[in-house]
Structures are given as C-alpha cells and as structure tokens.
C-alpha cells in the first residue's frame, strides 16, 4: 500500500505518523485553505482529477484506489475564550474485486490485490471493534491506520454501501450487505473537541469558588437558625412563656439557605471584580435574599478550513488543517 498526495502527485508513498494526542496523521501533505463551499469543491475536483482509474470487464472506469476527504472546521468565540473543532472524514472505498470477473492483468491485477487486502484488514478492524476485543489491528493496513480515529475514536461512523441487484453478483452483494451490517454495530462515545483559554479556566474557577462561598454562608445561616430555634424550644419545654414579640420567626430552611447562598455568591463575584459591597444581611435579619446574576453566551465565528488530498495505494485522502 502507498499513500499519494493527490494535490501534489509527486508526493508519493507518504509516511504515517502519530501526534501527541495519539491520533495518526499523514506527514508532508499539501494543504489548501478553503473558506466557502465552492472553494472546498474546487479542491475536491482538483484531487479527483489525479485519481487513478482503469477499465475492467465489469467497469469502464474502475477506481484503483480508496479516496479520503478529511474536512476540519474550527469555531472560535468572538472573545477568544473557547475554541471548538470538528472533523468529517468522507471515504470512498474501492470495491472488492474477483479477478475471474474483472479480467485484471499486470498493474491492474496488483492494484486489485492491494484493494482486496486493505478491505480485508478493514473488515478485521470492524470485527474487533464490534466484539470489543482488547487488540484492534489498525496497523495491519495503511487504510485502517488513517481511519483509526473515524472507526474507533471520538467519532460517529456511518456507511453507505453500493451493491448490484444482478443475480450473477449475488455473492458480492451478500458480502457487502454483511459488511455494512457489522459497521452498524460499532458504538463510540463522542465528546466535543473544546479548547478553553486560560482566562476562561480562571473564570470557571472563580465561579465555582464563589458558589462554595455561598454554600458556606448558607451552612452558617442554617446553623444560626437551628441554634436560635433550639434555644426557644428549651424555654417552652422548661415551662417558660416567651412573649410573642420575642418569639423566633419560623422560616423555610431550604428557601432561606438558597437565598443566603445566592446573595453570598453574588457579593463574592463583585469582590472579584473589585466592586465589593458591604457584607450582606443574613436571612435571619432580612428575609429578602439576593438574586442570581444573569449571564449570556457569545456566538462563535466559523474558522476557515483547509483541505488536502491523498491517495493510499488505491487511496485518496482529503485533509483539513486548522487555520491560525
């Protein structure tokens, strides 16, 4: 198997490396920035023009490679506090071939063997993922190595299969349908790829710290409430009479604690901004609690994607690069 850069066809047999995040990538690819759908389609057509095809008895323009388009889009908030990245891998797999039907010879036969071998390895990887085996043979093929993140990583997998209704192609149609059925059983846990700035982490930390301060104030208020209520209860049980104006005011403990916590958190947030106010009254002295502050989120702005195209010995890959 060989990986070829379809935007720079002279870049052939490119190596696969692994980044710090343990995600495989193809080294020395040519990347193209794209900011509109038309620009993306232009890159796709440019790569497609270099994709190798050949005529066989079953197909006048038979693909002699797998083609992969990797589209990466980055979205960053206007205040630069958070950045999200999404990647879409579109893979066009060359179909498996029976030499007896295609009549492949010479280099076309060699390409057919490589295509069948890579599809077999892809099937082995899918079986290992479906059966939750401890070892998944991604490294047995360059195709599965390139698609490692798509198959078993932080992604969702969808496959569209193409099969023939002709009776003469029954065995191939059946194996293709079974292949698609196995892919349906793959289950991955998907998480958003979010990068948060140091300022945003600090803001989140301060927010949690203020909530803790509010909780501490609520605990203190409840302790005082219980202390005063117990004091009056002992007086009544001791046979004493407590004048109405001196009787303890009964309150809903849960509601009181919530109001105290909100007020304390609000004052702590003001103190962080250098606008500290006098210490708030407790719920025992004032029944009016503080209101929670209102917050909002700013919308993100779409980042410009970048595209690259490669050919993996019968494979083409399109890849996107994050724009700085």
């Amino acid at each position: 198997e060989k990986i070829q850069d379809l935007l720079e066809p002279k870049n052939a047999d490119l190596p696969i490396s692994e980044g710090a995040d343990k995600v495989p990538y193809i080294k020395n690819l040519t990347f193209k920035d794209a900011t509109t759908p038309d620009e993306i389609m232009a890159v796709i057509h440019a790569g497609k023009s270099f994709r190798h095809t050949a005529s066989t008895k079953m197909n006048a323009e038979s693909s002699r490679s797998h083609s992969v388009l990797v589209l990466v889009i980055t979205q960053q908030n206007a205040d630069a506090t958070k950045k999200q990245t999404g990647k879409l891998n579109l893979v066009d797999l060359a179909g498996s071939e029976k030499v007896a039907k295609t009549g492949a010879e010479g280099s076309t036969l060699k390409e057919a063997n490589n295509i069948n071998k890579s599809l077999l390895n892809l099937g082995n990887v899918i079986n290992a993922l479906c059966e939750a085996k401890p070892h998944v043979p991604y490294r047995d093929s360059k195709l599965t190595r390139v698609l490692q993140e798509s198959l078993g990583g932080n992604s969702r997998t969808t496959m569209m299969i193409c099969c023939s209704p002709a009776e003469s192609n029954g065995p191939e149609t059946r194996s293709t349908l079974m292949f698609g059925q196995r892919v349906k059983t793959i289950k991955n846990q998907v998480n958003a790829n979010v990068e948060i700035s140091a300022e945003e982490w600090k803001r989140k930390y301060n927010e949690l710290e203020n909530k803790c301060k509010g909780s501490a104030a609520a605990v203190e208020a409840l302790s005082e409430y219980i202390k005063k209520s117990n004091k009056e209860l002992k007086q009544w049980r001791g046979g004493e009479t407590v004048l109405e104006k001196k009787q303890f005011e009964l309150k809903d403990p849960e509601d009181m604690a919530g109001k105290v916590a909100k007020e304390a958190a609000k004052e702590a947030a003001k103190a962080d901004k250098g606008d500290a106010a006098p210490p708030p009254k407790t719920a025992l002295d004032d029944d009016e609690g503080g209101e929670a502050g209102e917050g909002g989120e700013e919308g993100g702005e779409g980042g410009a994607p970048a595209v690259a195209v490669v050919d993996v010995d019968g494979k083409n890959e399109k890849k996107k690069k994050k724009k700085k």
Side-chain angles (χ1 to χ4, degrees), residues 7-299:
L7 294 180
E8 287 292 341
K10 63 181 180 180
N11 293 340
D13 200 12
L14 299 179
I16 298 176
S17 187
E18 194 173 82
D21 54 359
K22 304 299 181 181
V23 176
Y25 69 95
I26 302 172
K27 297 180 68 174
N28 304 323
L29 276 181
T30 300
F31 292 92
K32 298 289 185 179
D33 289 336
T35 58
T36 66
D38 289 340
E39 292 179 0
I40 294 176
M41 291 304 300
V43 176
I44 293 175
H45 290 308
K48 185 179 179 181
S49 64
F50 290 105
R51 188 178 184 186
H52 180 49
T53 61
S55 176
T56 67
K57 292 182 179 180
M58 295 187 68
N59 193 339
E61 294 185 1
S62 175
S63 299
R64 312 315 298 166
S65 65
H66 305 298
S67 140
V68 184
L69 166 66
V70 182
L71 181 65
V72 178
I73 299 179
T74 301
Q75 181 188 59
Q76 185 164 338
N77 280 21
D79 57 4
T81 58
K82 185 170 64 174
K83 181 170 65 176
Q84 291 181 292
T85 303
K87 181 164 70 172
L88 175 65
N89 288 339
L90 298 175
V91 187
D92 181 12
L93 297 173
S96 60
E97 297 185 8
K98 284 191 174 181
V99 178
K101 290 187 176 182
T102 61
E105 298 178 348
S107 60
T108 304
L109 176 60
K110 183 178 180 180
E111 291 165 347
N113 290 335
N114 287 333
I115 289 172
N116 290 340
K117 181 180 178 182
S118 63
L119 291 176
L120 176 62
N121 290 326
L122 177 59
N124 293 336
V125 166
I126 291 174
N127 286 337
L129 290 171
C130 295
E131 297 172 10
K133 292 183 177 179
H135 173 68
V136 182
Y138 291 115
R139 295 179 181 271
D140 288 355
S141 168
K142 289 186 177 180
L143 174 64
T144 54
R145 187 74 171 127
V146 169
L147 299 181
Q148 178 174 337
E149 188 180 24
S150 298
L151 295 171
N154 184 30
S155 64
R156 296 187 184 278
T157 304
T158 301
M159 175 171 285
M160 292 174 284
I161 60 176
C162 181
C163 52
S164 170
E167 184 178 356
S168 58
N169 296 326
E172 290 86 351
T173 298
R174 181 175 180 275
S175 63
T176 300
L177 291 172
M178 292 180 65
F179 183 80
Q181 187 179 34
R182 289 198 300 271
V183 174
K184 284 185 64 177
T185 61
I186 296 178
K187 296 181 180 180
N188 293 333
Q189 293 184 349
V190 183
N191 299 305
N193 299 313
V194 180
E195 295 180 20
I196 300 178
S197 66
E199 292 77 10
E200 180 67 7
W201 278 119
K202 183 179 179 180
R203 187 192 68 78
K204 288 179 175 291
Y205 173 81
N206 290 336
E207 186 178 280
L208 289 174
E209 187 178 36
N210 292 338
K211 286 183 178 180
C212 290
K213 291 178 180 179
S215 298
V219 171
E220 184 178 353
L222 284 172
S223 298
E224 185 179 352
Y225 180 84
I226 294 172
K227 182 179 179 181
K228 290 187 176 182
S229 62
N230 284 338
K231 181 181 179 180
E232 184 176 321
L233 179 61
K234 288 181 180 180
Q235 288 178 304
W236 283 106
R237 288 186 174 180
E240 298 181 30
T241 301
V242 182
L243 297 178
E244 184 176 353
K245 63 180 181 180
K246 292 186 178 181
Q247 289 180 6
F248 183 66
E249 182 183 356
L250 296 178
K251 298 181 180 181
D252 183 344
E254 184 176 351
D255 182 60
M256 180 193 70
K259 290 182 178 180
V260 171
K262 287 181 180 180
E263 183 66 22
K266 183 177 179 180
E267 295 303 327
K270 288 183 178 180
D272 288 341
K273 296 179 181 179
D275 185 22
K281 296 180 180 180
T282 67
L284 298 176
D285 299 321
D286 188 351
D287 206 15
E288 296 297 325
E291 296 296 329
E294 295 182 356
E297 294 183 356
E298 294 186 11

